Amino acid sequence: MNPQGERWTAERVLALAPDATSRTAGGKLAAAGTWSGAGAHGEAVWGLCSGSGSKPYQTVVDLNGPGYRCSCPSRKFPCKHALGLLLLWTSGEGGVPGSGEPPEWAEQWLGDRRERAGKLAAAARDGGPGRGGD
């Protein structure tokens, strides 16, 4: 688990990248001007990244795990947007304020993720799927 408020290092973030191209692209997105609505609270970091489309990409990272969700079409996990957001957050230069609650779109994904994790933990305690309550 990520102790609340503990910032990761850039090295830790870059180690998550699926390849060198993603590391480079994520580094280019680690600029405050690229992001709006960014924030961090508890175990989550989120933000809106302006891209080539008319709508910004919604990016959220659950620091437990970690887990990632981005509305971009990339098939890489984490995508360059998640890497860029995490790198911006690690810099501590004010691009990702450390307070506030996640926006609805981020909270929905985080809530769904917590619910799935709870169900998996309950199934593991009960002996796995289909093994309890005969």
Side-chain angles (χ1 to χ4, degrees):
M1 284 183 103
N2 179 52
Q4 198 166 6
E6 179 187 324
R7 287 196 193 264
W8 293 4
T9 63
E11 292 77 22
R12 181 175 179 182
V13 173
L14 293 173
L16 299 170
D19 54 38
T21 303
S22 297
R23 282 191 288 279
T24 301
K28 291 178 182 176
L29 293 175
T34 305
W35 296 90
S36 63
H41 180 72
E43 304 297 328
V45 180
W46 62 87
L48 300 170
C49 184
S50 57
S52 58
S54 61
K55 291 184 179 182
Y57 296 125
Q58 298 175 336
T59 307
V60 59
V61 178
D62 180 349
L63 299 172
N64 290 316
Y68 326 92
R69 189 209 167 275
C70 185
S71 60
C72 77
S74 177
R75 293 184 182 175
K76 295 182 181 183
F77 293 98
C79 69
K80 65 184 181 182
H81 305 103
L83 292 169
L85 178 61
L86 283 170
L87 288 168
L88 180 61
W89 172 68
T90 63
S91 73
E93 295 177 9
V96 181
S99 62
E101 294 296 320
E104 185 178 334
W105 57 267
E107 184 55 48
Q108 178 67 48
W109 180 79
L110 291 164
D112 291 349
R113 188 169 158 79
R114 285 189 296 266
E115 185 178 328
R116 283 190 305 275
K119 287 179 181 177
L120 288 172
R125 278 193 312 271
D126 296 340
R131 297 191 66 203
D134 284 344

